[in-house]
Amino acid sequence: MWREIGDREEGKTRPNWFANRIKWNRVEKLKLSNHKDIVSAHRGSINSLQVDLTEGRYLLSGSSDASAAVYDIQRPTEFEGGGVIAKHKCLFVVDKSHENGHKYAVSSAIWYPVDTGLFITGSFDHHINVWDTNTTQVVNTFKMPGKVYKTAMSSLSTSHMLIAAGTEDVQVRLCDIASGAFAHTLSGHRDGVMTVEWSTSSEWVLVTGGCDGAIRFWDIRRAGCFLVLDQSQSQLGRRPPILERSAANKVSTSKSAIVPSSSVKSRAAQKKAANGYSMKLSPINKISAKGPLRQRLHPGMLSTQDRATAHYGAVTGLKVTEDGMYLLSAGSDSRLRLWDVESGRNTLVNFETVRMQTSKPIQLATSQNPSLVFVPCMTTVKAFDMWSGMTSLTFCGHYESVNCCWFSSQDQELFTGGNDRQILVWSPSRLLPDKMDEGPVEDKDNWSD
């Protein structure tokens, strides 16, 4: 360690390399924390966890006992074991006894991305509540057509305050906090929508996963989805260079100018049969989708490709990487897939086969450096290398199935919640009595400040 610090001071190593090296060392040592303990205030399974995106200080949890709680994960409430173990009790909890509390399980609890003054809860009682953190009062309520499975807000948004909600209903609804009404609905799924996720590269792009096995990309400024992921369409490795694609486009354009009339007729028949934009066309057909023709090949129209599936079963979890270039998805087929967002193709990363819950959504988490994805796998949480699919770490500590996890990139800590009603903290291991930094006892004085 000291040698690496010296190399950094002398400029022999780059700052990013040094920072990534330190983060990897910490993540590699993640174990059940021996110095931090979250005292759960819930009497039911933990369904959702999130640390606020502004300070990285407050942990929000939602439970099946219809309650939501907030914890301060930086300032402990009390200490045990001679000041060694820090106990973090909830700052407040809102449950059924609250006048505006939920009546059934809280399936999703998220922070307002801009500050910690608001948080949002979605419940099986068909309601989404917007809470004022300081007064613990509901400032807005949205009545949904069915059970709420997942809610999400864009962390990049500067132009809207929309809550995307996935429910039992086939339509995805966008709830506007500013107006207190529904902005609009997104139609395309053929069954309930179990998970929703905003893009990390655009405030207008929303990704949804349904019980029909489909993953759809939406631009909320226009009608219809613009991309449907198909597990049968795949590519090896990473995306091709931009220059190669542009060169291929020019060649295809020149070829399309001299295509025989017979091929034009067959291509027109193919488009007519598809009756939709998202059918996988040849490179020539891709180039010709310009101007008025692009609207004729609108993605929201029904087509064979519009019925493509990303999983053999319901899509139970979605997570977009921090750079917005890749999407991780989990399904009730107990498969984990990595998708290239630009091309919409499966990258064919062979993640190790694991058992995952199939009847309810699960919450995935990622770390940027190193590139790991944390996946609840029944009673354990496994960390997979994002590019090789191999298991890097396994976290065993829960007595029952794990439903959610959240990775704090600020402190390199992992928070997990499960059906055993516990919230566990996984931190880089450290020695409990760190006497080496205290110095000899005889060198200390009794002066008071």
Side-chain angles (χ1 to χ4, degrees):
M1 172 62 73
W2 290 112
R3 182 178 180 181
E4 294 175 353
I5 294 176
D7 292 342
R8 172 67 195 99
E9 291 177 348
E10 296 174 6
K12 295 181 180 179
T13 59
R14 295 183 178 182
N16 289 341
W17 184 91
F18 179 75
N20 294 342
R21 177 69 176 175
I22 298 300
K23 289 179 180 179
W24 170 244
N25 288 339
R26 289 177 58 83
V27 171
E28 201 175 25
K29 297 177 182 178
L30 282 179
K31 292 183 179 179
L32 190 60
S33 180
N34 54 14
H35 60 275
K36 180 181 290 188
D37 184 23
I38 304 293
V39 182
S40 177
H42 302 294
R43 298 187 302 273
S45 60
I46 311 298
N47 296 327
S48 178
L49 290 174
Q50 185 181 15
V51 178
D52 71 278
L53 304 177
T54 52
E55 301 178 61
R57 175 177 173 181
Y58 298 103
L59 175 68
L60 174 65
S61 63
S63 172
S64 62
D65 64 353
S67 65
V70 175
Y71 307 84
D72 189 339
I73 58 176
Q74 291 187 1
R75 294 185 180 179
T77 309
E78 58 185 27
F79 291 90
E80 284 187 0
V84 173
I85 302 176
K87 293 283 187 178
H88 297 261
K89 296 182 178 180
C90 68
L91 301 179
F92 64 86
V93 59
V94 289
D95 52 18
K96 291 181 180 179
S97 62
H98 193 282
E99 56 181 351
N100 295 320
H102 291 290
K103 300 299 183 291
Y104 302 117
V106 174
S107 55
S108 178
I110 60 172
W111 284 108
Y112 181 58
V114 178
D115 59 48
T116 56
L118 295 174
F119 67 92
I120 298 95
T121 57
S123 172
F124 280 7
D125 63 3
H126 302 191
H127 283 84
I128 293 177
N129 289 346
V130 182
W131 299 81
D132 186 319
T133 309
N134 298 313
T135 62
T136 64
Q137 296 297 319
V138 175
V139 296
N140 219 332
T141 300
F142 299 94
K143 179 71 168 65
M144 309 304 289
K147 295 179 181 178
V148 179
Y149 290 128
K150 187 71 183 296
T151 58
M153 292 192 72
S154 174
S155 58
L156 304 176
S157 177
T158 57
S159 306
H160 64 78
M161 300 171 63
L162 298 177
I163 305 171
T167 66
E168 281 182 319
D169 191 52
V170 296
Q171 294 180 326
V172 180
R173 282 170 169 77
L174 300 180
C175 313
D176 190 358
I177 296 180
S179 64
F182 296 114
H184 52 278
T185 59
L186 307 175
S187 303
H189 285 283
R190 301 185 305 279
D191 204 343
V193 180
M194 192 166 281
T195 179
V196 293
E197 183 84 3
W198 288 92
S199 170
T200 55
S201 58
S202 173
E203 63 176 305
W204 306 108
V205 176
L206 177 69
V207 189
T208 60
C211 297
D212 55 359
I215 298 177
R216 294 175 178 268
F217 283 71
W218 313 81
D219 187 332
I220 63 173
R221 297 168 295 182
R222 55 181 286 190
C225 66
F226 66 87
L227 179 62
V228 182
L229 299 185
D230 188 352
Q231 57 184 319
S232 63
Q233 300 294 329
S234 57
Q235 67 181 17
L236 289 171
R238 302 197 178 189
R239 63 183 66 189
I242 297 178
L243 293 178
E244 291 183 9
R245 290 202 306 274
S246 60
N249 291 349
K250 291 180 181 178
V251 173
S252 300
T253 306
S254 61
K255 286 184 179 180
S256 61
I258 56 173
V259 173
S261 58
S262 60
S263 61
V264 172
K265 290 181 180 179
S266 62
R267 214 176 304 136
Q270 184 183 10
K271 291 177 185 176
K272 186 175 180 181
N275 194 24
Y277 145 86
S278 53
M279 181 170 181
K280 296 296 179 182
L281 304 174
S282 63
I284 298 178
N285 293 336
K286 273 186 178 178
I287 302 307
S288 61
K290 292 183 179 179
L293 187 58
R294 178 179 291 276
Q295 296 186 6
R296 215 169 354 121
L297 300 176
H298 195 277
M301 302 173 68
L302 187 62
S303 68
T304 55
Q305 188 62 28
D306 190 60
R307 294 182 177 273
T309 58
H311 287 272
Y312 295 110
V315 180
T316 56
L318 291 174
K319 185 66 178 180
V320 181
T321 56
E322 290 187 12
D323 55 13
M325 297 175 64
Y326 295 92
L327 171 71
L328 286 149
S329 67
S332 59
D333 54 1
S334 290
R335 298 296 298 176
L336 193 68
R337 291 190 172 93
L338 179 68
W339 306 84
D340 183 273
V341 171
E342 186 185 33
S343 64
R345 292 175 179 263
N346 182 7
T347 58
L348 290 180
V349 175
N350 186 23
F351 290 94
E352 294 183 5
T353 304
V354 292
R355 287 186 61 202
M356 291 185 285
Q357 294 194 66
T358 59
S359 59
K360 63 189 301 185
I362 59 175
Q363 183 179 338
L364 310 178
T366 58
S367 67
Q368 182 64 23
N369 294 303
S371 298
L372 296 176
V373 52
F374 300 94
V375 184
C377 302
M378 304 310 289
T379 59
T380 65
V381 175
K382 292 193 175 184
F384 295 98
D385 184 272
M386 200 175 296
W387 308 118
S388 67
M390 302 298 292
T391 303
S392 297
L393 300 167
T394 301
F395 305 96
C396 301
H398 286 277
Y399 295 104
E400 297 183 34
S401 297
V402 182
N403 302 318
C404 53
C405 53
W406 181 270
F407 181 78
S408 175
S409 57
Q410 178 175 318
D411 301 320
Q412 287 78 51
E413 290 182 332
L414 179 68
F415 300 88
T416 59
N419 292 342
D420 56 1
R421 311 174 186 179
Q422 299 299 316
I423 301 175
L424 300 184
V425 188
W426 309 83
S427 304
S429 58
R430 68 181 187 185
L431 297 175
L432 291 180
D434 197 356
K435 300 291 185 182
M436 295 180 63
D437 297 333
E438 296 181 3
V441 178
E442 58 270 17
D443 291 344
K444 295 184 177 180
D445 54 56
N446 293 324
W447 295 348
S448 61
D449 296 327

